[in-house]
């Protein structure tokens, strides 16, 4: 891990901030092209951690996550501020594993057993990101809110494909025109959902988190 230029942290921002900034500055002088992989959620996804993230979202009045955790933005903000002068783009990657498929594990990898993993990649120019720390943090949070909408849009797209396949709607020009108009309508609806779900537009609810709430969050 040392040879791979990993940045080791202590999960203490008072100490990690200086280590991160120093490490980012050293990357500027790398003699070869580089990628910096940053897992903004900060930990692996589990149902227990999802519940904790949902409780935190309720207490802060944030959109409640369903398939992702709440991003930890301090490291991301520091990375953008220190590296935006020599890193041109950010690739936003979303991994999804179907519930019917086994999760990839180190043991499966060592045994040579493959797993089905779906990957969506979005490319953002660094110059498109805000300049301020608060703006960068909000951009990151809104990106994670959009991931929830993307999940449902992908599910809707799959169901639509099966419907069109079953009805043979694409076999005529009228059917193709109807399909195009319907897809445009869906795209507009998805855009509205993304903007309406942005964190900056959410209103604090200040709801107490009790055991009944935990059960409700898990069922939604």
């Amino acid at each position: 891990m040392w040879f791979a230029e990993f940045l080791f942290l202590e999960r203490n921002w008072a100490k990690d901030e200086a280590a991160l900034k120093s490490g980012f500055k050293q990357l500027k002088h790398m003699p070869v092209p580089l990628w910096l992989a940053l897992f903004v959620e900060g930990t692996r996804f589990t149902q227990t951690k999802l519940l904790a993230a949902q409780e935190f979202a309720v207490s802060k009045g944030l959109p409640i996550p369903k398939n992702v955790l709440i991003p930890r933005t301090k490291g991301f903000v520091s990375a953008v501020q220190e590296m935006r002068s020599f890193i041109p783009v950010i690739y936003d990657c979303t991994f999804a594993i179907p519930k019917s498929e086994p999760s990839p594990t180190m043991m499966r990898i060592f045994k040579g057993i493959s797993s089905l993993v779906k990957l969506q990649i979005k490319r953002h120019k660094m110059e498109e990101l805000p300049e301020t720390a608060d703006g960068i943090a909000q951009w990151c949070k809104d990106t994670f809110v959009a991931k929830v909408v993307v999940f449902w849009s992908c599910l809707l797209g799959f169901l639509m494909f099966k419907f069109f396949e079953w009805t043979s709607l694409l076999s005529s020009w009228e059917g193709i025109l109807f399909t195009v108009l319907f897809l445009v309508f869906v795209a507009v609806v998805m855009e509205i959902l993304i903007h309406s779900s942005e964190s900056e537009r959410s209103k604090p609810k200040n709801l107490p988190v009790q055991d009944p709430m935990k059960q409700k969050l898990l069922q939604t």
Side-chain angles (χ1 to χ4, degrees):
M1 297 175 70
W2 285 99
F3 293 107
E5 301 291 341
F6 275 58
L7 297 177
F8 295 92
L9 305 177
E10 299 184 26
R11 294 184 178 271
N12 183 334
W13 183 245
K15 300 178 181 179
D16 293 339
E17 182 178 12
L20 283 174
K21 290 183 177 180
S22 175
F24 293 149
K25 290 179 180 178
Q26 292 179 9
L27 295 177
K28 183 177 182 179
H29 305 289
M30 288 284 289
V32 295
L34 65 95
W35 292 75
L36 175 65
L38 181 61
F39 297 89
V40 189
E41 291 169 299
T43 185
R44 292 176 295 176
F45 182 93
T46 65
Q47 288 300 318
T48 300
K49 293 174 182 178
L50 175 61
L51 178 57
Q54 291 174 332
E55 291 178 358
F56 178 81
V58 171
S59 67
K60 297 296 183 180
L62 302 174
I64 300 176
K66 299 294 191 301
N67 306 289
V68 296
L69 303 181
I70 296 177
R72 303 179 182 184
T73 58
K74 287 184 178 180
F76 177 77
V77 171
S78 180
V80 171
Q81 290 180 327
E82 297 296 330
M83 303 177 65
R84 69 187 314 158
S85 63
F86 60 94
I87 296 294
V89 296
I90 292 178
Y91 289 96
D92 171 24
C93 301
T94 304
F95 295 86
I97 303 172
K99 291 184 177 180
S100 59
E101 297 289 333
S103 300
T105 61
M106 292 298 296
M107 186 61 66
R108 290 177 61 86
I109 294 175
F110 289 146
K111 291 182 177 180
I113 304 176
S114 62
S115 298
L116 179 60
V117 178
K118 297 183 178 181
L119 171 63
Q120 181 193 59
I121 301 178
K122 288 186 177 181
R123 185 177 186 270
H124 304 277
K125 293 182 179 180
M126 185 68 80
E127 61 192 31
E128 298 174 356
L129 272 68
E131 296 289 338
T132 64
D134 290 341
I136 296 171
Q138 188 63 55
W139 182 91
C140 182
K141 294 175 182 177
D142 291 340
T143 300
F144 269 72
V145 171
K147 292 180 186 292
V148 178
V149 179
V150 168
F151 169 79
W152 288 110
S153 63
C154 291
L155 178 61
L156 178 61
F158 174 77
L159 295 176
M160 287 171 52
F161 172 77
K162 289 298 183 181
F163 173 76
F164 292 144
E165 186 179 46
W166 175 63
T167 59
S168 300
L169 194 61
L170 300 180
S171 60
S172 64
W173 285 108
E174 293 81 2
I176 294 176
L177 178 60
F178 172 79
T179 302
V180 171
L181 294 176
F182 184 74
L183 290 176
V184 171
F185 172 76
V186 171
V188 172
V189 172
M190 290 298 104
E191 188 68 20
I192 293 174
L193 288 175
I194 290 175
H195 286 290
S196 64
S197 300
E198 287 181 351
S199 302
E200 61 185 1
R201 299 184 181 183
S202 62
K203 298 180 179 180
K205 300 178 182 179
N206 295 325
L207 297 177
V209 181
Q210 303 293 339
D211 288 341
M213 174 62 72
K214 293 182 181 181
Q215 296 300 324
K216 183 178 179 181
L217 291 175
L218 286 175
Q219 294 172 2
T220 56

